Amino acid sequence: MSRLVAAVHVVTTRTSEGRTGFTATAVVSVSDSPPTLLVCLNRRNHSAPAFRRAGVFAVNMLAGDQQPVALGFGGRNDLAGEQRFAIGHWHEGHLGIPVLAGAVVVFECRLVEARTIATHDVLVGRVEAVTLGRDGPRLAYLGREFLVV
Ligand SMILES: Cc1cc2nc3c(=O)[nH]c(=O)nc-3n(C[C@H](O)[C@H](O)[C@H](O)COP(=O)(O)O)c2cc1C
């Protein structure tokens, strides 16, 4: 898997227990019509139950200068849950879920299907709102290292 080149995202949601999110490279566009994408979430991730329960999530594609956000939400510096949102500037999007300022694009999705495959929950989301941000350098991940492309 480390040979796959991938864009880096932070996927977020909110429940009555608060905000949560995780860094993800496993994000794929499924369909344009209706606009649909999927995210693969390890079921051992602490936030996995929250994503199923919330029924909505946001996919924030990171810009080249947002590596600290990727590290914070990637479990690399012991921050958990709400603490992760201290990194970066976050506001509430159209679906009431956390949206990152300065992201390349944010897709706010309603969960339409969740399927368990091996160790992961595959979350299929219908895109209900798109926020276009900076069309500049993106953060990518290859060979267990971050790249700016
Ligand atoms: C660059 C990068 C990409 C990642 N991609 C994914 C992914 O696609 N799916 C996933 O479940 N975890 C992925 N992770 C790991 C999760 O971000 C990490 O397990 C999670 O933040 C742990 O959260 P928790 O401490 O709340 O369980 C990735 C981590 C990094 C640093």
Side-chain angles (χ1 to χ4, degrees), residues 2 24 28-29 35 44 60 63 66-67 79 82 91 102 112 139-140 146:
S2 65
V28 179
S29 158
R44 286 193 316 204
N60 301 270
Q66 292 181 317
Q67 185 174 324
L79 297 176
E82 182 64 36
H91 59 273
V112 292
L139 192 64
F146 290 99

Side-chain angles (χ1 to χ4, degrees), residues 12-34:
T12 55
T13 194
R14 179 196 291 276
T15 66
S16 53
E17 286 162 22
R19 300 183 289 180
T20 190
F22 69 102
T23 298
T25 49
V27 173
V28 179
S29 158
V30 175
S31 161
D32 273 353
S33 176

